[in-house]
Amino acid sequence: MNCDAAKERMSERWLHGLDESRRIELETHLAACPSCREESTALNALWQAMEDVPTEEPGRQLRAGFEWMMQAYRMGVAESSVRKRIAAPRQPLWQLAVASLTLVFGLVAGHLYTARTQDQATIAQLGVEMKTMKHLVTLSLLRQESAGDRLRGVSFSESMSATDDEVLSALVRALSNDPNVNVRLAAFDALTRNPASPSVRKGIRDAITYQESPLLQIALIDWAVNNKDRGAMDPLRQLERQPELHPAVRVRLREAIRSFQ
Amino acid sequence: MKPISAFLIAASLLTAAESNAQKQTLSFSDPAAAKRLEVSLVNGSITVKTHAAKEAIIEGNVAATQRKQPPPGMKRLDTGLPGLGSEQTGNTIKLHAIHKANVTIWVPAETALKLNTINGGDIIVEGIAGEIDTNNINGNITLTDVSGPVVAHALNGKLTVSLSKLDSGKAMSLSTFNKDVDLTLPADAKASVKLKSQNGEIFTDFDVTLKGAPVVEESKKEPPASNKNSSPRTRTRTVRFEKVSYGTINGGGQEIQLTTYNGSIYIRKKK
Amino acid sequence: MTERTDDELMAEVSGGLVDGLTQLFERHHRALHRFFSHLTGSASTAEDLTQEVFFRMLKFRETFQSGGKFTPWMYQIARNVHFDHCRKRTIEMPVAEERKLWEPADPSPQQDWTMMRAADVATLRRAFLRLPAAQREVLVLARYQELPYDEIARVMGCEPGTVKSRVFRAMKELSGLFVRLSGRRAS
Ligand SMILES: [Zn+2]
């Protein structure tokens, strides 16, 4: 046994263990080869030590997210894009077996080969051109008729760690168009959890002029003040000109405009 | 589904008498499927109660004061003036009125509700197990013994919600501007709450575990570049009181957001 | 009633009966979460990536061949999800400096591994995260997912013998990184 074979054998031992004869072969080599012996001792111990690296249990968000995904999927939003059939038509292997035996091997091998490369291609494409799970769930829930579902959409967007432009623009849309004030409020909170990108900033500034709910108006005014967003000055002045403004909002608005000067 | 019927019950309401309440029965097209009731008023109150029957019974009271009394010896010619309109599409029943109208509706308990009014009345719901989405600008909202997810906003009125059970998995949100938000939950309810009261306080008899105390955020920033020339050494200093608290009840669970500006928040344990 | 196998369930999902995915989630989400936790060192990132795997299973259910093997297919998707994740975060990829360790003159680790302490575990974890993604993957599959070599070979698209040598090389690289990070030198 040479050193390369010994290394492969060590690796084999970590996972499967070795039967008597294979173990003796390895140990014979180790006895004769100090460098492999050293490596074996150290790496065996390291393999053991890896046991001690802890893993955390998944939180309940994981299950909730999965359930929402299934629900969102059933709501049919996904249907149109999934319809794209990329896989080759599947044929039971026995149909191929009616062909001559020599052909079978060729066909089966070929079938499996193309299937595998297609899998790889399809899956690799995903990250680039297909939408993610977060899109599916957030965007489909935000489109639901039920305000409770749309709220869940907003809350789902918050549960994921990565930010995503398309989800952010869906939240901006919710802030500006959602018929329910509580959903708009939640969307605003979700948008302001992270430092706003220029497009989100613009969405929030725009909202200042047309939000009619005093709760939202005050939240937006506070956002402008806290972020020292000078770009919000024009929308704030526009808001000030609205005659039917709630008195509490007007007080807050005047303070805000003053703080900018 | 296309509209099965669209008609006015104003006619029947108004021709009978100028004042008294009238009853109208509407059926859901598929009693076994999910049912939905939407009521939208400009001026008036909405009361929804449950009954064992499968249809909806609507009792409407369009105020007599809104309309002139016919002169002696004359009668009103009904020209389809807007009164209380109703519309049914599949399993959704919609009611709407522009005149002052107080309505009471009896529906099966599992009906989902969407109720909106602007002036002159409260929204009262009892015993409903379906999802509730409701908005009242100038009146109170009182939901008692309801068990579906609730999304409610009372701008100038008080919002009182008593849940007979907390159905896990659906988000809830209750908000007001001027008055209190008052929520009663079953003693064993598992909830994750987000509480926001700008000028009021928060009271509860639950053991609410707060995730970090309300944040006092202090930021010291250089003034924006455009200001720098005028005050090169000045640092603007903002102290920001973030009035948002996150907490869990019984270990956390269903998400509930409670928001008010001038009111206080009460979270009560159901006795 | 006999439990349906993963392969049968996924074949059903592939044919359009997507409810079977719920059972597959019950059976595999912990393993996938563990896979990604070790790969990324973050439980919450692992949640995101696990979700993404089930999303892709649903979206690309039709690429599952009836009569195919579910577990290798699942880990192929998981590797692709991880690949896309790494591409988004290139900053955290291993730096060139570490590569120098793998020249022939590399000192062998000599310390007593059996005396691992909490600090060592943390160092080991850091060392692990500095491995190139492909080495992390093969080690996680072998060490933490306890997949047999022939299944790992299917996931990685190579021969079982190649898996053995890749595992060995990854272990060797890991031990070097560990030594480097813990500041110990060979005697
Ligand atoms: Zn050797």
Side-chain angles (χ1 to χ4, degrees), chain A residues 60-61 68 145-149 151-152 155 158 180-182 185-186 189 213-215 218 222 226 228 230 246 248-249 252, chain B residues 36 38 131 133 151-153 155-156 169-171 173-178 194 196 198 236 238 240 253 255 257 259 261:
Chain A
R60 68 180 187 94
Q61 280 301 339
W68 291 355
E145 189 182 13
S146 140
D149 281 337
L151 272 179
R152 285 198 295 155
S155 124
E158 291 179 301
N180 188 294
V181 59
N182 295 37
L185 207 54
D189 284 351
S213 156
L215 263 185
I218 287 187
D222 287 356
N226 289 327
K228 308 213 184 322
R230 301 199 68 83
H246 195 286
V249 178
R252 196 66 159 234
Chain B
R36 188 173 168 86
E38 298 185 4
E131 186 166 343
D133 173 355
V151 180
H153 177 66
L155 183 65
N156 291 317
K170 291 229 172 188
S173 177
L174 310 177
S175 62
T176 66
F177 189 70
N178 275 328
K194 179 176 176 184
K196 225 173 165 179
Q198 201 75 37
T236 47
T238 319
R240 179 185 172 203
E255 290 173 27
Q257 177 163 356
T259 312
Y261 186 71

Short mmCIF file of all heavy atoms in Angstrom, two decimals, chain A residues 60-61 68 145-149 151-152 155 158 180-182 185-186 189 213-215 218 222 226 228 230 246 248-249 252, chain B residues 36 38 131 133 151-153 155-156 169-171 173-178 194 196 198 236 238 240 253 255 257 259 261:
data_model
loop_
_atom_site.label_atom_id
_atom_site.label_comp_id
_atom_site.label_asym_id
_atom_site.label_seq_id
_atom_site.Cartn_x
_atom_site.Cartn_y
_atom_site.Cartn_z
N ARG A 60 -39.13 28.23 14.94
CA ARG A 60 -40.46 27.93 14.42
C ARG A 60 -40.76 28.68 13.13
O ARG A 60 -41.68 28.36 12.40
CB ARG A 60 -41.53 28.20 15.46
CG ARG A 60 -41.71 29.64 15.80
CD ARG A 60 -42.78 29.88 16.84
NE ARG A 60 -42.98 31.30 16.97
CZ ARG A 60 -43.92 31.97 16.31
NH1 ARG A 60 -44.75 31.33 15.54
NH2 ARG A 60 -44.03 33.28 16.44
N GLN A 61 -39.91 29.70 12.84
CA GLN A 61 -40.09 30.43 11.58
C GLN A 61 -39.94 29.50 10.37
O GLN A 61 -40.57 29.72 9.35
CB GLN A 61 -39.04 31.54 11.46
CG GLN A 61 -39.36 32.79 12.22
CD GLN A 61 -40.67 33.41 11.80
OE1 GLN A 61 -41.18 33.17 10.71
NE2 GLN A 61 -41.23 34.20 12.68
N TRP A 68 -46.51 28.56 4.93
CA TRP A 68 -46.98 29.69 4.11
C TRP A 68 -46.65 29.48 2.64
O TRP A 68 -47.42 29.83 1.76
CB TRP A 68 -46.34 30.98 4.61
CG TRP A 68 -46.86 31.38 5.93
CD1 TRP A 68 -47.85 30.77 6.63
CD2 TRP A 68 -46.42 32.47 6.73
NE1 TRP A 68 -48.05 31.41 7.82
CE2 TRP A 68 -47.19 32.46 7.91
CE3 TRP A 68 -45.46 33.45 6.56
CZ2 TRP A 68 -47.02 33.40 8.91
CZ3 TRP A 68 -45.29 34.39 7.57
CH2 TRP A 68 -46.06 34.36 8.74
N GLU A 145 -56.97 38.91 -0.76
CA GLU A 145 -58.08 39.79 -0.43
C GLU A 145 -58.14 40.03 1.08
O GLU A 145 -58.52 41.10 1.53
CB GLU A 145 -59.39 39.17 -0.92
CG GLU A 145 -60.54 40.14 -0.81
CD GLU A 145 -61.86 39.53 -1.25
OE1 GLU A 145 -61.93 38.29 -1.39
OE2 GLU A 145 -62.82 40.30 -1.43
N SER A 146 -57.76 39.01 1.85
CA SER A 146 -57.86 39.13 3.30
C SER A 146 -56.73 39.99 3.87
O SER A 146 -55.55 39.77 3.58
CB SER A 146 -57.83 37.73 3.91
OG SER A 146 -57.06 37.72 5.09
N ALA A 147 -57.12 40.99 4.67
CA ALA A 147 -56.12 41.87 5.28
C ALA A 147 -55.19 41.08 6.18
O ALA A 147 -54.00 41.37 6.28
CB ALA A 147 -56.81 42.98 6.06
N GLY A 148 -55.73 40.04 6.84
CA GLY A 148 -54.91 39.20 7.71
C GLY A 148 -53.81 38.50 6.92
O GLY A 148 -52.67 38.39 7.37
N ASP A 149 -54.14 38.03 5.71
CA ASP A 149 -53.14 37.40 4.86
C ASP A 149 -52.08 38.40 4.43
O ASP A 149 -50.89 38.10 4.41
CB ASP A 149 -53.79 36.79 3.61
CG ASP A 149 -54.45 35.45 3.91
OD1 ASP A 149 -54.05 34.81 4.90
OD2 ASP A 149 -55.35 35.05 3.16
N LEU A 151 -51.18 41.06 6.00
CA LEU A 151 -50.33 41.32 7.17
C LEU A 151 -49.28 40.23 7.32
O LEU A 151 -48.13 40.49 7.66
CB LEU A 151 -51.17 41.35 8.44
CG LEU A 151 -51.80 42.66 8.85
CD1 LEU A 151 -52.60 42.44 10.13
CD2 LEU A 151 -50.74 43.72 9.09
N ARG A 152 -49.71 38.99 7.09
CA ARG A 152 -48.75 37.89 7.20
C ARG A 152 -47.67 38.01 6.14
O ARG A 152 -46.51 37.67 6.36
CB ARG A 152 -49.47 36.55 7.04
CG ARG A 152 -50.26 36.18 8.28
CD ARG A 152 -50.56 34.73 8.27
NE ARG A 152 -51.43 34.37 7.18
CZ ARG A 152 -51.48 33.15 6.65
NH1 ARG A 152 -50.72 32.20 7.13
NH2 ARG A 152 -52.29 32.89 5.66
N SER A 155 -45.26 40.43 7.46
CA SER A 155 -44.49 39.87 8.56
C SER A 155 -43.53 38.79 8.04
O SER A 155 -42.43 38.62 8.56
CB SER A 155 -45.44 39.38 9.64
OG SER A 155 -45.25 38.04 9.94
N GLU A 158 -40.36 40.26 6.85
CA GLU A 158 -39.46 40.62 7.95
C GLU A 158 -38.72 39.42 8.52
O GLU A 158 -37.67 39.56 9.12
CB GLU A 158 -40.25 41.27 9.09
CG GLU A 158 -40.79 42.64 8.75
CD GLU A 158 -41.58 43.22 9.91
OE1 GLU A 158 -42.56 42.60 10.34
OE2 GLU A 158 -41.19 44.29 10.39
N ASN A 180 -56.06 48.74 3.49
CA ASN A 180 -56.19 48.63 4.94
C ASN A 180 -55.07 49.40 5.64
O ASN A 180 -53.89 49.19 5.39
CB ASN A 180 -56.15 47.15 5.34
CG ASN A 180 -56.47 46.96 6.80
OD1 ASN A 180 -55.71 47.38 7.67
ND2 ASN A 180 -57.60 46.34 7.07
N VAL A 181 -55.47 50.28 6.56
CA VAL A 181 -54.49 51.13 7.23
C VAL A 181 -53.51 50.31 8.07
O VAL A 181 -52.32 50.63 8.14
CB VAL A 181 -55.18 52.23 8.07
CG1 VAL A 181 -56.08 51.64 9.12
CG2 VAL A 181 -54.17 53.14 8.73
N ASN A 182 -53.97 49.23 8.67
CA ASN A 182 -53.07 48.41 9.48
C ASN A 182 -52.00 47.72 8.63
O ASN A 182 -50.87 47.55 9.06
CB ASN A 182 -53.86 47.35 10.27
CG ASN A 182 -54.79 47.98 11.29
OD1 ASN A 182 -55.37 49.02 11.03
ND2 ASN A 182 -54.92 47.37 12.44
N LEU A 185 -49.50 50.36 7.71
CA LEU A 185 -48.67 50.62 8.88
C LEU A 185 -47.58 49.55 9.02
O LEU A 185 -46.41 49.85 9.25
CB LEU A 185 -49.57 50.63 10.11
CG LEU A 185 -49.20 51.43 11.33
CD1 LEU A 185 -48.95 52.88 10.97
CD2 LEU A 185 -50.33 51.35 12.36
N ALA A 186 -47.99 48.30 8.88
CA ALA A 186 -47.04 47.19 9.00
C ALA A 186 -46.00 47.25 7.89
O ALA A 186 -44.81 47.01 8.12
CB ALA A 186 -47.78 45.85 8.98
N ASP A 189 -43.49 49.88 8.76
CA ASP A 189 -42.55 49.37 9.78
C ASP A 189 -41.52 48.44 9.16
O ASP A 189 -40.33 48.50 9.48
CB ASP A 189 -43.31 48.61 10.88
CG ASP A 189 -44.03 49.56 11.83
OD1 ASP A 189 -43.81 50.78 11.73
OD2 ASP A 189 -44.82 49.07 12.65
N SER A 213 -54.36 58.59 6.54
CA SER A 213 -54.51 58.19 7.93
C SER A 213 -53.54 58.95 8.84
O SER A 213 -52.34 58.95 8.60
CB SER A 213 -54.26 56.69 8.06
OG SER A 213 -53.87 56.40 9.38
N PRO A 214 -54.07 59.61 9.87
CA PRO A 214 -53.19 60.35 10.78
C PRO A 214 -52.09 59.48 11.39
O PRO A 214 -50.97 59.94 11.57
CB PRO A 214 -54.14 60.85 11.87
CG PRO A 214 -55.47 60.89 11.23
CD PRO A 214 -55.48 59.78 10.23
N LEU A 215 -52.41 58.22 11.69
CA LEU A 215 -51.39 57.33 12.26
C LEU A 215 -50.20 57.20 11.32
O LEU A 215 -49.05 57.28 11.73
CB LEU A 215 -51.98 55.93 12.48
CG LEU A 215 -52.50 55.54 13.85
CD1 LEU A 215 -52.92 54.08 13.84
CD2 LEU A 215 -51.47 55.79 14.93
N ILE A 218 -48.24 60.63 10.87
CA ILE A 218 -47.29 60.92 11.95
C ILE A 218 -46.07 60.01 11.87
O ILE A 218 -44.94 60.45 12.05
CB ILE A 218 -48.00 60.84 13.32
CG1 ILE A 218 -48.90 62.08 13.43
CG2 ILE A 218 -46.99 60.76 14.47
CD1 ILE A 218 -49.55 62.29 14.74
N ASP A 222 -42.31 61.45 11.47
CA ASP A 222 -41.24 61.06 12.40
C ASP A 222 -40.07 60.43 11.66
O ASP A 222 -38.91 60.65 12.00
CB ASP A 222 -41.77 60.08 13.46
CG ASP A 222 -42.66 60.78 14.47
OD1 ASP A 222 -42.78 62.02 14.39
OD2 ASP A 222 -43.24 60.09 15.33
N ASN A 226 -36.32 61.76 11.96
CA ASN A 226 -35.29 60.89 12.52
C ASN A 226 -34.20 60.57 11.51
O ASN A 226 -33.05 60.34 11.88
CB ASN A 226 -35.90 59.59 13.03
CG ASN A 226 -36.72 59.81 14.28
OD1 ASN A 226 -36.40 60.68 15.08
ND2 ASN A 226 -37.80 59.05 14.43
N LYS A 228 -33.40 62.67 9.14
CA LYS A 228 -32.94 63.96 8.61
C LYS A 228 -33.02 63.95 7.10
O LYS A 228 -32.07 64.29 6.40
CB LYS A 228 -31.49 64.22 9.04
CG LYS A 228 -31.28 64.08 10.53
CD LYS A 228 -30.22 65.05 11.00
CE LYS A 228 -29.92 64.87 12.47
NZ LYS A 228 -31.08 64.58 13.31
N ARG A 230 -33.82 65.40 4.06
CA ARG A 230 -34.17 66.71 3.51
C ARG A 230 -35.00 66.58 2.25
O ARG A 230 -35.78 67.47 1.91
CB ARG A 230 -32.90 67.54 3.24
CG ARG A 230 -32.06 67.77 4.49
CD ARG A 230 -31.10 68.93 4.32
NE ARG A 230 -31.79 70.21 4.24
CZ ARG A 230 -32.19 70.89 5.32
NH1 ARG A 230 -31.97 70.41 6.51
NH2 ARG A 230 -32.81 72.04 5.18
N HIS A 246 -55.52 66.50 10.40
CA HIS A 246 -55.84 66.30 11.81
C HIS A 246 -54.97 67.25 12.65
O HIS A 246 -53.78 67.40 12.38
CB HIS A 246 -55.54 64.86 12.19
CG HIS A 246 -56.14 64.45 13.50
ND1 HIS A 246 -55.63 64.86 14.70
CD2 HIS A 246 -57.21 63.67 13.79
CE1 HIS A 246 -56.36 64.35 15.68
NE2 HIS A 246 -57.33 63.62 15.15
N ALA A 248 -53.57 67.09 15.55
CA ALA A 248 -52.36 66.50 16.14
C ALA A 248 -51.27 66.33 15.08
O ALA A 248 -50.09 66.49 15.36
CB ALA A 248 -52.69 65.15 16.76
N VAL A 249 -51.71 66.02 13.87
CA VAL A 249 -50.74 65.86 12.79
C VAL A 249 -50.13 67.21 12.44
O VAL A 249 -48.92 67.33 12.23
CB VAL A 249 -51.41 65.24 11.55
CG1 VAL A 249 -50.41 65.11 10.40
CG2 VAL A 249 -52.00 63.87 11.89
N ARG A 252 -47.45 68.18 14.89
CA ARG A 252 -46.24 67.39 14.66
C ARG A 252 -45.51 67.85 13.40
O ARG A 252 -44.27 67.92 13.35
CB ARG A 252 -46.65 65.93 14.52
CG ARG A 252 -45.55 64.93 14.64
CD ARG A 252 -44.96 64.91 16.02
NE ARG A 252 -44.28 63.66 16.26
CZ ARG A 252 -44.53 62.87 17.28
NH1 ARG A 252 -45.42 63.23 18.19
NH2 ARG A 252 -43.89 61.75 17.42
N ARG B 36 -68.95 35.34 3.38
CA ARG B 36 -68.36 36.64 3.63
C ARG B 36 -69.45 37.71 3.60
O ARG B 36 -70.32 37.70 2.74
CB ARG B 36 -67.32 36.90 2.54
CG ARG B 36 -66.48 38.12 2.73
CD ARG B 36 -65.39 38.15 1.66
NE ARG B 36 -64.74 39.44 1.64
CZ ARG B 36 -63.72 39.77 2.43
NH1 ARG B 36 -63.24 38.89 3.28
NH2 ARG B 36 -63.20 40.97 2.38
N GLU B 38 -69.86 41.93 3.71
CA GLU B 38 -69.20 43.23 3.67
C GLU B 38 -70.24 44.32 3.84
O GLU B 38 -71.23 44.34 3.12
CB GLU B 38 -68.45 43.43 2.33
CG GLU B 38 -67.36 42.41 2.10
CD GLU B 38 -66.55 42.67 0.83
OE1 GLU B 38 -66.80 43.70 0.18
OE2 GLU B 38 -65.69 41.83 0.52
N GLU B 131 -62.85 35.54 9.99
CA GLU B 131 -61.88 36.64 9.99
C GLU B 131 -62.64 37.97 9.97
O GLU B 131 -63.64 38.11 9.30
CB GLU B 131 -61.02 36.50 8.73
CG GLU B 131 -59.89 37.47 8.68
CD GLU B 131 -58.86 37.08 7.61
OE1 GLU B 131 -58.85 35.93 7.16
OE2 GLU B 131 -58.07 37.96 7.26
N ASP B 133 -62.31 42.17 9.42
CA ASP B 133 -61.53 43.31 8.94
C ASP B 133 -62.46 44.50 9.08
O ASP B 133 -63.49 44.56 8.42
CB ASP B 133 -61.14 43.05 7.48
CG ASP B 133 -60.46 44.24 6.82
OD1 ASP B 133 -60.37 45.32 7.44
OD2 ASP B 133 -60.05 44.10 5.65
N VAL B 151 -58.34 42.35 12.11
CA VAL B 151 -57.57 43.52 11.70
C VAL B 151 -58.54 44.69 11.83
O VAL B 151 -59.54 44.75 11.12
CB VAL B 151 -57.08 43.38 10.24
CG1 VAL B 151 -56.28 44.61 9.85
CG2 VAL B 151 -56.22 42.13 10.09
N ALA B 152 -58.27 45.60 12.78
CA ALA B 152 -59.26 46.64 13.06
C ALA B 152 -58.59 47.98 13.29
O ALA B 152 -57.51 48.06 13.88
CB ALA B 152 -60.09 46.25 14.28
N HIS B 153 -59.27 49.02 12.85
CA HIS B 153 -58.76 50.38 13.04
C HIS B 153 -59.93 51.30 13.41
O HIS B 153 -60.91 51.38 12.68
CB HIS B 153 -58.09 50.87 11.76
CG HIS B 153 -57.59 52.29 11.84
ND1 HIS B 153 -56.57 52.66 12.69
CD2 HIS B 153 -57.99 53.41 11.19
CE1 HIS B 153 -56.36 53.97 12.54
NE2 HIS B 153 -57.20 54.44 11.64
N LEU B 155 -60.30 55.19 14.17
CA LEU B 155 -59.48 56.40 14.16
C LEU B 155 -59.74 57.25 15.40
O LEU B 155 -58.83 57.55 16.16
CB LEU B 155 -59.77 57.21 12.88
CG LEU B 155 -58.92 58.47 12.74
CD1 LEU B 155 -57.46 58.12 12.58
CD2 LEU B 155 -59.40 59.31 11.57
N ASN B 156 -60.99 57.61 15.60
CA ASN B 156 -61.30 58.49 16.73
C ASN B 156 -62.06 57.81 17.85
O ASN B 156 -62.38 58.44 18.85
CB ASN B 156 -62.09 59.71 16.23
CG ASN B 156 -61.22 60.62 15.38
OD1 ASN B 156 -60.05 60.87 15.72
ND2 ASN B 156 -61.75 61.07 14.25
N GLY B 169 -51.25 31.28 13.97
CA GLY B 169 -50.82 31.28 12.58
C GLY B 169 -51.27 32.47 11.77
O GLY B 169 -50.72 32.76 10.73
N LYS B 170 -52.29 33.19 12.23
CA LYS B 170 -52.73 34.36 11.46
C LYS B 170 -52.33 35.63 12.19
O LYS B 170 -52.43 35.72 13.40
CB LYS B 170 -54.25 34.33 11.28
CG LYS B 170 -54.70 33.21 10.36
CD LYS B 170 -55.65 33.73 9.31
CE LYS B 170 -55.94 32.67 8.27
NZ LYS B 170 -56.69 33.21 7.14
N ALA B 171 -51.89 36.62 11.43
CA ALA B 171 -51.47 37.88 12.05
C ALA B 171 -52.68 38.72 12.40
O ALA B 171 -53.70 38.70 11.73
CB ALA B 171 -50.56 38.63 11.09
N SER B 173 -53.89 42.76 13.88
CA SER B 173 -53.43 44.11 14.10
C SER B 173 -54.61 44.99 14.52
O SER B 173 -55.65 45.00 13.87
CB SER B 173 -52.80 44.65 12.81
OG SER B 173 -52.41 45.99 12.97
N LEU B 174 -54.44 45.69 15.64
CA LEU B 174 -55.49 46.59 16.14
C LEU B 174 -54.87 47.96 16.30
O LEU B 174 -53.82 48.11 16.91
CB LEU B 174 -56.01 46.10 17.50
CG LEU B 174 -56.42 44.63 17.63
CD1 LEU B 174 -56.85 44.34 19.07
CD2 LEU B 174 -57.54 44.29 16.67
N SER B 175 -55.57 48.99 15.79
CA SER B 175 -55.00 50.32 15.93
C SER B 175 -56.06 51.39 16.12
O SER B 175 -57.19 51.25 15.65
CB SER B 175 -54.13 50.65 14.71
OG SER B 175 -54.91 50.66 13.54
N THR B 176 -55.68 52.45 16.85
CA THR B 176 -56.53 53.62 17.02
C THR B 176 -55.62 54.84 16.94
O THR B 176 -54.40 54.72 17.01
CB THR B 176 -57.21 53.65 18.40
OG1 THR B 176 -56.19 53.81 19.40
CG2 THR B 176 -58.00 52.40 18.69
N PHE B 177 -56.27 55.99 16.85
CA PHE B 177 -55.48 57.21 16.89
C PHE B 177 -55.67 57.92 18.23
O PHE B 177 -54.72 58.22 18.93
CB PHE B 177 -55.86 58.13 15.73
CG PHE B 177 -54.93 59.30 15.58
CD1 PHE B 177 -53.63 59.11 15.13
CD2 PHE B 177 -55.34 60.58 15.90
CE1 PHE B 177 -52.76 60.18 15.00
CE2 PHE B 177 -54.48 61.65 15.77
CZ PHE B 177 -53.19 61.45 15.32
N ASN B 178 -56.93 58.14 18.60
CA ASN B 178 -57.20 58.98 19.76
C ASN B 178 -57.58 58.25 21.04
O ASN B 178 -57.42 58.77 22.13
CB ASN B 178 -58.31 59.98 19.43
CG ASN B 178 -57.75 61.21 18.74
OD1 ASN B 178 -56.61 61.61 19.01
ND2 ASN B 178 -58.52 61.79 17.85
N LYS B 194 -46.51 43.24 19.47
CA LYS B 194 -45.73 44.44 19.16
C LYS B 194 -46.61 45.61 19.59
O LYS B 194 -47.74 45.75 19.12
CB LYS B 194 -45.46 44.49 17.66
CG LYS B 194 -44.68 45.72 17.23
CD LYS B 194 -44.38 45.63 15.74
CE LYS B 194 -43.68 46.89 15.26
NZ LYS B 194 -43.47 46.84 13.80
N LYS B 196 -47.22 49.70 20.45
CA LYS B 196 -46.77 51.03 20.06
C LYS B 196 -47.78 52.03 20.60
O LYS B 196 -48.92 52.07 20.13
CB LYS B 196 -46.76 51.09 18.54
CG LYS B 196 -45.56 51.71 17.91
CD LYS B 196 -45.71 51.50 16.42
CE LYS B 196 -44.77 52.36 15.63
NZ LYS B 196 -44.95 52.09 14.18
N GLN B 198 -47.76 56.11 21.40
CA GLN B 198 -46.95 57.31 21.37
C GLN B 198 -47.11 58.12 22.64
O GLN B 198 -46.15 58.46 23.31
CB GLN B 198 -47.34 58.15 20.16
CG GLN B 198 -46.28 59.15 19.74
CD GLN B 198 -45.12 58.47 19.02
OE1 GLN B 198 -45.33 57.53 18.26
NE2 GLN B 198 -43.91 58.93 19.28
N THR B 236 -25.27 68.15 15.69
CA THR B 236 -26.70 68.07 16.02
C THR B 236 -26.91 66.82 16.86
O THR B 236 -26.31 65.78 16.62
CB THR B 236 -27.56 67.98 14.75
OG1 THR B 236 -26.99 67.02 13.90
CG2 THR B 236 -27.66 69.32 14.06
N THR B 238 -29.82 64.40 18.51
CA THR B 238 -31.23 64.06 18.59
C THR B 238 -31.41 62.93 19.59
O THR B 238 -30.71 61.93 19.53
CB THR B 238 -31.76 63.55 17.23
OG1 THR B 238 -31.20 64.37 16.22
CG2 THR B 238 -33.27 63.61 17.17
N ARG B 240 -34.04 60.25 20.59
CA ARG B 240 -35.26 59.71 20.02
C ARG B 240 -35.82 58.64 20.94
O ARG B 240 -35.13 57.71 21.31
CB ARG B 240 -34.94 59.10 18.66
CG ARG B 240 -36.13 58.50 17.99
CD ARG B 240 -35.66 57.83 16.72
NE ARG B 240 -36.75 57.07 16.13
CZ ARG B 240 -36.57 56.07 15.32
NH1 ARG B 240 -35.36 55.70 15.00
NH2 ARG B 240 -37.59 55.42 14.82
N GLY B 253 -46.32 33.34 20.22
CA GLY B 253 -47.12 32.58 19.26
C GLY B 253 -47.68 33.52 18.22
O GLY B 253 -46.91 34.19 17.54
N GLU B 255 -48.89 36.46 16.08
CA GLU B 255 -48.42 37.83 16.07
C GLU B 255 -49.58 38.81 16.21
O GLU B 255 -50.56 38.73 15.48
CB GLU B 255 -47.69 38.12 14.76
CG GLU B 255 -46.37 37.40 14.66
CD GLU B 255 -45.72 37.56 13.30
OE1 GLU B 255 -45.98 38.57 12.63
OE2 GLU B 255 -44.96 36.66 12.93
N GLN B 257 -50.23 43.01 16.64
CA GLN B 257 -49.69 44.35 16.74
C GLN B 257 -50.78 45.28 17.28
O GLN B 257 -51.90 45.30 16.78
CB GLN B 257 -49.22 44.84 15.36
CG GLN B 257 -48.72 46.26 15.44
CD GLN B 257 -47.88 46.67 14.24
OE1 GLN B 257 -47.59 45.87 13.36
NE2 GLN B 257 -47.50 47.94 14.21
N THR B 259 -51.45 49.29 18.15
CA THR B 259 -50.89 50.61 17.87
C THR B 259 -51.89 51.69 18.27
O THR B 259 -53.07 51.59 17.95
CB THR B 259 -50.60 50.76 16.35
OG1 THR B 259 -49.91 49.61 15.90
CG2 THR B 259 -49.79 52.01 16.08
N TYR B 261 -51.98 56.25 19.06
CA TYR B 261 -51.20 57.48 19.16
C TYR B 261 -51.47 58.16 20.50
O TYR B 261 -50.60 58.30 21.34
CB TYR B 261 -51.53 58.41 17.99
CG TYR B 261 -50.66 59.65 17.97
CD1 TYR B 261 -49.32 59.54 17.64
CD2 TYR B 261 -51.18 60.90 18.28
CE1 TYR B 261 -48.50 60.66 17.64
CE2 TYR B 261 -50.37 62.02 18.28
CZ TYR B 261 -49.04 61.90 17.96
OH TYR B 261 -48.23 63.00 17.96
#
